[in-house]
């Protein structure tokens, strides 16, 4: 590996090769920035943010039922919708980060929005006028429109803040490691594991300490402490500014994607061929024509899109932007990389439907079981602690014992590939739902005495779903970051995070469909009373969906060929297509019959 060196104050400094800069805008020095010097600030920030989010997520169903007087199915639906919106909004956050603000600035801006939402939520829980009065003799007055609007406004701001933070924070942490340096590349994969460890540390604190505070001090304190933690996390992240490596924004990737599609379609209808005799355009500079991004070598897959980079034919005189006439090979390959991961993305969404049950029906089961340990009673919102503790144990074990053992057997530096890791997680998730169905049937069949059935019966389903999450979540972090190009890293993170949002919405849709198909809230599988419901049937349905999804995923993963299998930037072109390098864009346009000076005037 070649090292980049620069004389600075009489001493040599090692410079990164991935285009990252320090806070002064200079090429970052490996010895002074990034690595484990910058990433701990990111990890601590993630702990605080996840603490705040899950303190809300696990308590919100109870808050909506007990304080806002909503029915259990409606409350569960509203919470899954809110979680879904938070993760779907990651696509917006990723777009703004990659196109305009950069990852760090996006995190700071949306963290402030998040904090404002937390303050409003705390006010909603603290001021009596913002909630309906307590129930009297089981007669509960519903919340007014203004009270509901105030609460939903606070939740909307928190969802928006989450959407801006989540796609950027893992990518920003990974940016601290230069992937062209083998030592730092290995540390990057360790970062993903410890980043997930940080998430579950925040989750654990959110569903234990924060729930305990809520149970003993009230809702105002229960939401107020996470608010303070969120504000503190912003200050912690800002403290690391001198130690970070920053990727410059590369412009709108979605605009570049549309350009590739438009130009390739136009050329297709003009009869342009992209076969072996085609001449494809690429800039002659060391960097690509995408600001801040390295060049990508040509690949044979999705030949149709190569028509956007074909030179040698006239493409018209009515376009006002150069890129709407001819795209570089790097721009086309960037879009190919995005298209290539879509089948993997689609075939892992079903697992997120199962994850949605962690903050809804799993907790509802625990509320109807014996939660005592001696004289201590586990709060309902703390029941997911089983999954969080499992993750905290499994991550160090996986990183310290399983990876080295697998590495000796497979020769792969991570033991198994990201796709294999995700597949194992999908497989485990099937058994998590089977366990949930079996336990729920046992609980329901003896529901008169279900309060004498210990909550530890839920441990197997929490343990298995937690294991599935450790395997798939970290696998997705690695996969989507590695397969993304320099200009789409945040979008890559947002893609897998959006699965959580889509899964939450699909869970809501599935609940509604099951309700209608089985007799509604009065007689169906999912009634307002869990003791009269057939939640076990619903779990069996989810287990079947996950089993079918696993088969589909195996087929998709079997035929998948990643970007790294096709060569990285700087690699030679491995097929017969001629890539025309060394040309400026004006020279390329002359070849296709367009006057560059006329175009830009």
């Amino acid at each position: 590996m070649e090292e980049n060196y620069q004389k600075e104050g009489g001493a040599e400094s090692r410079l990164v090769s991935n285009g990252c800069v320090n806070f002064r805008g200079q090429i970052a020095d490996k010895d002074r920035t990034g690595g484990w010097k910058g990433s701990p600030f990111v990890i601590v920030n993630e702990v605080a943010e996840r603490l705040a989010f899950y303190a809300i997520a696990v308590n919100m169903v109870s808050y909506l039922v007990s304080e806002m007087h909503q029915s259990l199915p409606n409350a569960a639906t509203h919470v899954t919708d809110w979680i879904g919106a938070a993760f779907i909004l990651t696509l917006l956050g990723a777009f703004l980060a990659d196109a305009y603000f950069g990852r760090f600035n996006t995190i700071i801006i949306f963290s402030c929005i998040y904090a404002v939402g937390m303050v409003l939520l705390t006010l909603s829980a603290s001021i009596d006028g913002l909630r309906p009065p307590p129930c009297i003799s089981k007669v509960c007055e519903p919340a007014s429109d203004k009270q509901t609007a105030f609460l939903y406004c606070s939740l909307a701001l928190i969802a928006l803040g989450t959407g801006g933070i989540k796609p950027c924070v893992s990518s920003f942490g990974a940016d601290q490691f230069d992937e062209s340096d083998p030592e730092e590349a290995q540390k990057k994969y360790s970062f993903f594991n410890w980043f997930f460890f940080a998430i579950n540390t925040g989750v654990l604190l959110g569903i234990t300490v924060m729930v305990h505070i809520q149970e003993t001090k009230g809702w105002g304190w229960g939401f107020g402490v996470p608010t303070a933690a969120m504000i503190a996390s912003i200050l912690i992240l800002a403290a690391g500014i001198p130690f970070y490596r920053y990727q410059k924004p590369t412009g709108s990737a979605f605009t570049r994607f549309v350009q590739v599609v438009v130009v390739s379609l136009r050329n297709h209808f003009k009869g342009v061929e992209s076969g072996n005799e085609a001449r494809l355009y690429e800039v002659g500079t060391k960097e690509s024509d995408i600001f801040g991004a390295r060049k990508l070598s040509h690949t044979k897959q999705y030949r149709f899109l190569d028509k956007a980079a074909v030179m040698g034919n006239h493409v018209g005189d009515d376009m006002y932007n150069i890129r709407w006439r001819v795209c570089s090979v790097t721009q086309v390959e960037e879009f190919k990389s995005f298209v290539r991961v879509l089948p993997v993305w689609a075939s892992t969404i079903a697992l997120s439907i199962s994850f949605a049950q962690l903050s809804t029906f799993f907790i509802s089961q625990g509320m109807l079981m014996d939660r005592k340990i001696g004289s201590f009673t586990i709060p309902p919102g703390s029941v997911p602690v089983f999954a969080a503790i499992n993750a905290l144990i499994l991550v160090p074990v996986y990183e310290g014992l399983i990876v080295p053992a697998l590495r000796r057997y497979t020769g792969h530096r991570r033991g198994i590939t990201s796709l294999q890791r995700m597949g194992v997680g999908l497989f485990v998730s099937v058994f998590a739902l089977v366990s949930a169905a079996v336990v729920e049937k046992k609980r329901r069949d003896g529901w008169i005495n279900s309060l004498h059935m210990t909550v530890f019966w839920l441990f197997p389903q929490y343990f298995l779903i937690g294991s599935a999450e450790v395997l798939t979540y970290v696998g997705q972090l690695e996969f989507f970051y590695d397969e993304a190009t320099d200009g789409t890293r945040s979008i890559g993170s947002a893609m897998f995070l959006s699965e959580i949002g889509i899964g939450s919405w699909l869970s809501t849709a599935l609940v509604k469909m099951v309700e209608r198909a089985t007799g509604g809230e009065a007689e169906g599988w999912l009634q307002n009373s869990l003791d009269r419901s057939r939640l076990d049937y619903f779990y069996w349905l989810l287990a079947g969906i996950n089993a079918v999804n696993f088969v589909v995923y195996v087929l998709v993963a079997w035929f998948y060929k990643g970007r790294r299998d096709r060569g990285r930037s700087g690699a030679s072109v491995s097929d017969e297509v001629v890539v025309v390098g060394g040309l400026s864009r004006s020279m390329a346009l002359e070849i296709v019959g367009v006057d560059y000076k006329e175009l830009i005037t």
Side-chain angles (χ1 to χ4, degrees), residues 23-168:
F23 72 104
R24 294 188 177 92
Q26 304 165 337
I27 297 296
D29 183 349
K30 292 182 182 180
D31 296 326
R32 298 182 181 181
T33 64
W36 289 112
K37 289 181 286 294
S39 54
F41 294 95
V42 179
I43 289 175
V44 173
N45 171 266
E46 183 66 8
V47 171
E49 190 277 327
R50 288 293 85 185
L51 180 153
F53 186 85
Y54 278 93
I56 301 169
V58 299
N59 279 320
M60 190 49 61
V61 170
S62 297
Y63 184 77
L64 292 177
V65 171
S66 63
E67 299 295 320
M68 303 302 286
H69 304 161
Q70 296 184 7
S71 69
L72 176 60
N74 284 338
T77 296
H78 291 153
V79 171
T80 52
D81 284 346
W82 172 70
I83 294 173
F87 285 99
I88 290 294
L89 284 169
T90 57
L91 294 171
L92 172 64
F95 168 75
L96 294 175
D98 282 342
Y100 302 111
F101 301 146
R103 286 186 264 280
F104 177 77
N105 289 335
T106 302
I107 295 170
I108 290 292
I109 292 169
F110 281 87
S111 292
C112 293
I113 294 173
Y114 195 125
V116 171
M118 291 291 298
V119 170
L120 294 181
L121 179 61
T122 304
L123 293 176
S124 174
S126 304
I127 300 175
D128 291 339
L130 296 176
R131 303 187 313 281
C135 299
I136 302 175
S137 300
K138 297 186 178 181
V139 177
C140 299
E141 180 183 329
S144 68
D145 290 342
K146 290 183 179 180
Q147 291 168 339
T148 302
F150 189 89
L151 173 64
Y152 287 174
C153 179
S154 68
L155 293 176
L157 290 175
I158 294 169
L160 180 61
T162 300
I165 296 168
K166 287 302 293 178
C168 302

Side-chain angles (χ1 to χ4, degrees), residues 253-327:
F254 291 118
T255 300
R256 295 195 296 270
F257 293 166
V258 173
Q259 289 168 341
V260 172
V261 173
V262 169
V263 177
S264 58
L265 284 172
R266 185 193 308 117
N267 286 350
H268 171 73
F269 288 119
K270 287 181 175 292
V272 173
E273 297 294 333
S274 57
N276 294 341
E277 300 301 322
R279 292 166 61 82
L280 305 183
Y281 166 71
E282 182 60 279
V283 295
T285 56
K286 181 179 179 181
E287 297 293 326
S288 72
D289 59 343
I290 301 172
F291 179 76
R294 292 165 290 181
K295 286 183 178 179
L296 301 171
S297 58
H298 180 261
T299 62
K300 295 182 179 181
Q301 198 174 16
Y302 307 124
R303 287 281 196 177
F304 178 85
L305 297 175
D306 289 341
K307 295 182 180 184
V310 170
M311 302 171 60
N313 45 271
H314 197 285
V315 294
D317 297 320
D318 58 343
M319 302 301 290
Y320 58 86
N321 190 297
I322 298 173
R323 278 185 176 159
W324 293 100
R325 294 172 174 268
V326 59
C327 301

Side-chain angles (χ1 to χ4, degrees), residues 23 26 55 106 153 333 340 387 400 411 444 516 587:
F23 72 104
Q26 304 165 337
T106 302
C153 179
E333 290 301 323
R340 196 174 289 130
R444 184 186 181 278
R516 293 194 185 105
M587 293 172 65

